[in-house]
Amino acid sequence: PLRIRKGEEQKVEQAVAMVNDKIKEYQKMYAGKDKQDYLAMCVLMLAVEQQSLKYRDMESQQTKSDYLT
């Protein structure tokens, strides 16, 4: 089991709900796979989203830096 800090409970519950919703979506789209396949799809999707946000933030910082110079 995971140990969660008191102040992070809501964030974790929201993340669990998001993952469960995504798994249900994948189950509808790709019927016949096992739970591990759906979890892998979900992890990959979340990693791609995280990378996109990271690059978007870096580009935003670069734009701000260019504007100030």
Side-chain angles (χ1 to χ4, degrees):
L2 290 174
R3 292 186 181 182
I4 302 165
R5 292 186 188 130
K6 195 80 162 164
E8 294 180 346
E9 290 172 340
Q10 185 177 9
K11 290 178 188 177
V12 172
E13 289 172 2
Q14 289 172 343
V16 168
M18 181 181 67
V19 168
N20 286 334
D21 289 344
K22 200 52 135 168
I23 288 172
K24 288 177 188 175
E25 181 182 327
Y26 287 141
Q27 286 173 327
K28 290 177 185 176
M29 292 171 57
Y30 307 105
K33 303 287 184 187
D34 64 13
K35 188 82 166 192
Q36 192 171 5
D37 290 332
Y38 299 124
L39 287 170
M41 290 178 202
C42 192
V43 167
L44 181 59
M45 181 268 314
L46 290 171
V48 169
E49 285 182 5
Q50 194 250 355
Q51 288 296 314
S52 295
L53 291 172
K54 180 179 169 182
Y55 289 125
R56 191 177 317 146
D57 186 49
M58 287 175 20
E59 288 175 352
S60 176
Q61 289 177 2
Q62 182 63 40
T63 302
K64 288 178 185 176
S65 176
D66 291 346
Y67 180 74
L68 294 174
T69 56

